[in-house]
Structure formats: C-alpha cells, structure tokens
Amino acid sequence: MSSRRRKSRPRAPPDNLKRVSARSASQARVGLCRFCLRDDVALTQEHVFARWLVAKLRAWRATHAAHGPADVAADARIARLVTNVCGACNAGWMSGLEVSFRQAVFARSRPEHIAEPTRRTLSRWFAKTATLVAHATGQELVAEDHWPELTDAMPGGIRVGLARLRRPRQPLDVGLEYEAEASHPTPKLTSVAVQVDDLVAIVTRRSSVTPATTLWPIRSHVLRWTTLPVVNRLSDLTGS
C-alpha cells in the first residue's frame, strides 16, 4: 500500500524567541553618543559593569539599592544596569580602560605604591562607572556636556576617594548620596559610591572625600594599597 506524506509546514518560532528578537531589535537605535558626540550613530544598550568583572567576582545576583524614577526597570541586579553608547566608544576607549583597570586591580603581583598612572586609571574607571550608574537610574552626577572628557581625562569638578570595605556583603555594590537644595524641588545627586570586591570609591562633587583617601585630584602624598582607610559600609562614604 502506498501512503501519502503530508507536506511539512514551517514551524513558527516559539513565543519567547519572538520576544527576545523583538527586544534585541528595540535595543539598537540611532542617535547622539554622549561620549564621542557623533550624531546619527547606532546606539546599543551596554552593561555598566562589564561582563568580565561580573563573571570574575561571581556577582550575577548582586543587587543595588540605588533608587531612580518610577519608570526605571524594577530589576535591581547590578549585572543588568545598562546604558546607551555607540559601538566605537564601547570597543575603543572604554575597552582599553577596562583592560587597564583589570591589570591595576586584579594583577597577581602589584606594586605596593599606587603610582600616578594607576591613580589616573582608577579615577577614570570609577568616574565613568559612577556616571553611568547615575544615568542608568535616571540621575545625573556628571553633566552630559562633560562626558566627552572621560574619553581620555577626568571631568572638571569631580573628586574621587578610595578606601577598603570591611567584610563586603556582596562583591559588587553601588550607593547614591543626595543633597537638598533650595533651588531644586527634589534632592540632587552629589555622590556615587562604587564597590569592587573589597575596594570602594566615592565619586563626588563635594569638596571632601573623607573618610576615604583622595585619589583624584592627584596629590603628592604617597598612596599605598595596604594603608588605604577601612570603612564598614558604603554609607560611611555617602553619609546615607
């Protein structure tokens, strides 16, 4: 007996695949890159904390307590903080800064003194990260017209302090500090603390970084990894 074979119909993609594809397409848009100031370039959502860092510290589930406007995504996982940048910046100066930061912080054997080139690397990385943390939560730490300075230098009016954290509760964390001003109806963001392992930096517009030691502006005093001040929590730096 002969049997007829039914013609196979192409299967529709699963619903979840449709959602992923639609989401990926919606992540890319054309606009102005705030760092290189190129207009009409493709902007994609990039992670504020690079995947290599999240993976190295096993910080996939680490969460932040930084609050922004109601329309900010409810997912508080640090690994999912994203911002829009162009591909040239992401693969160019940002990638180079990540490499320099990794070598400075995670080198198997590092010099006792924190030399001036390392201070510049740490200051730029923490300032860049704090700027993007603030932006990802709907806040502003560094005015957007000063973002281009971060591509090869430090923005004016920003100070960076460095300390160590005693018994970190998680390997990555961020904290925000606000200050009430008569000219603003809502408190204004003044500082962002960024923790990487037991290292924590305060990036601020305040005149002091106490109790951290000043990393930027660079001063003549000798800075050592082993003698950095120790704090118990991020709020010791942000005052919140």
Side-chain angles (χ1 to χ4, degrees):
M1 293 179 63
S2 61
S3 60
R4 293 182 179 179
R5 294 184 179 178
R6 295 181 179 179
K7 294 182 179 180
S8 60
R9 296 179 180 178
R11 294 182 178 180
D15 289 341
N16 62 340
L17 182 58
K18 290 181 182 178
R19 289 194 294 269
V20 170
S21 299
R23 186 168 62 248
S24 298
S26 67
Q27 286 180 348
R29 63 181 180 84
V30 174
L32 170 70
C33 177
R34 297 177 181 88
F35 288 108
C36 65
L37 299 181
R38 291 193 305 158
D39 203 354
D40 294 330
V41 294
L43 301 176
T44 56
Q45 287 190 342
E46 301 295 341
H47 292 90
V48 173
F49 289 92
R51 288 186 175 274
W52 73 263
L53 180 60
V54 175
K56 184 172 185 62
L57 298 178
R58 301 180 181 275
W60 303 107
R61 296 184 179 276
T63 60
H64 66 85
H67 300 292
D71 60 346
V72 175
D75 192 337
R77 277 176 283 186
I78 290 175
R80 295 194 177 184
L81 280 173
V82 294
T83 190
N84 291 320
V85 298
C86 75
C89 283
N90 185 51
W93 69 270
M94 282 182 162
S95 178
L97 185 57
E98 291 292 328
V99 171
S100 297
F101 179 79
R102 183 172 189 166
Q103 293 172 343
V105 175
F106 296 104
R108 290 186 177 180
S109 60
R110 60 190 182 193
E112 179 185 358
H113 296 161
I114 306 178
E116 181 173 326
T118 302
R119 295 191 202 188
R120 293 183 182 276
T121 293
L122 295 177
S123 297
R124 281 184 63 216
W125 188 91
F126 279 115
K128 178 267 300 181
T129 303
T131 297
L132 295 182
V133 165
H135 187 261
T137 55
Q139 314 291 308
E140 181 182 87
L141 179 66
V142 176
E144 289 187 5
D145 56 350
H146 289 289
W147 284 30
E149 298 173 36
L150 280 165
T151 61
D152 59 7
M154 283 288 291
I158 291 295
R159 294 179 179 272
V160 182
L162 195 62
R164 287 200 174 277
L165 188 63
R166 181 181 289 113
R167 302 187 190 90
R169 67 179 183 89
Q170 59 186 32
L172 277 180
D173 208 351
V174 297
L176 276 61
E177 177 185 22
Y178 299 88
E179 184 178 76
E181 293 184 0
S183 58
H184 291 81
T186 57
K188 188 176 182 180
L189 181 67
T190 56
S191 306
V192 175
V194 179
Q195 175 212 330
V196 176
D197 201 9
D198 69 335
L199 200 64
V200 59
I202 177 76
V203 182
T204 182
R205 292 195 296 248
R206 289 193 271 110
S207 60
S208 171
V209 297
T210 305
T213 191
T214 300
L215 188 65
W216 184 268
I218 291 178
R219 296 176 178 175
S220 60
H221 66 272
V222 176
L223 205 59
R224 296 182 174 88
W225 293 105
T226 54
T227 58
L228 289 174
V230 178
V231 296
N232 293 315
R233 57 190 68 85
L234 266 66
S235 59
D236 289 344
L237 297 179
T238 61
S240 57

